[in-house]
Amino acid sequence: MQFIVNIDVEELGKAISFYESGLGLQLSRRLFGDTVAEMVGGPAPIYLIEQPEASAAAPGTSHQRDYKRHWTPVHLDFIVEDIDVAVKQAVSAGASQEGEIKTYAWGRLATMSDPFGNGFCLLAFAEGGYGHAE
């Protein structure tokens, strides 16, 4: 099975800049009248989809898109070699760090959000990774 990841953003140009400079992805191509950007550099492509603030979040609902920090039950973890460097890079590109970097038996974790309110984590595995979680 394959999958892709879609992330709604308010400003496509700003989002491309953030995901390039903040997380090290590369723009592969633009699609659909320049309203979608395909970003590559990880195990699955990420599609940044420009959607206006306050537009309907889903068909048949009154929920509207809001680009302030928001909760979502699904988020991305970006695996990095050096979490301190990765946090600095993401913050300098416009991310927000949400609390201190936490250390676990399996590695270190930084909880973040992008400039559009989407949560993500930066994760640096220790040797053995999640195998130490048992």
Side-chain angles (χ1 to χ4, degrees), residues 56-68:
T61 180
S62 62
H63 296 287
Q64 296 178 327
R65 284 181 177 83
D66 179 346
Y67 291 109
K68 293 182 279 258

Side-chain angles (χ1 to χ4, degrees), residues 48-100:
L48 304 174
I49 304 170
E50 190 171 72
Q51 300 281 4
E53 172 108 19
S55 61
T61 180
S62 62
H63 296 287
Q64 296 178 327
R65 284 181 177 83
D66 179 346
Y67 291 109
K68 293 182 279 258
R69 178 62 170 116
H70 55 274
W71 179 84
T72 178
V74 178
H75 70 271
L76 299 174
D77 287 352
F78 291 92
I79 300 169
V80 299
E81 291 294 320
D82 185 324
I83 198 160
D84 297 303
V85 169
V87 166
K88 286 178 186 169
Q89 179 179 340
V91 168
S92 71
S96 295
Q97 182 177 353
E98 300 174 341
E100 298 297 316

Side-chain angles (χ1 to χ4, degrees), residues 43 75-80 106 109-110 119-123 125 130:
H75 70 271
L76 299 174
D77 287 352
F78 291 92
I79 300 169
V80 299
W106 48 262
L109 176 80
F120 68 92
C121 293
L122 298 173
L123 175 70
F125 280 120
Y130 282 145

Side-chain angles (χ1 to χ4, degrees), residues 5 22 35 55 84 86 114 124 126:
V5 177
T35 60
S55 61
D84 297 303
D114 73 7

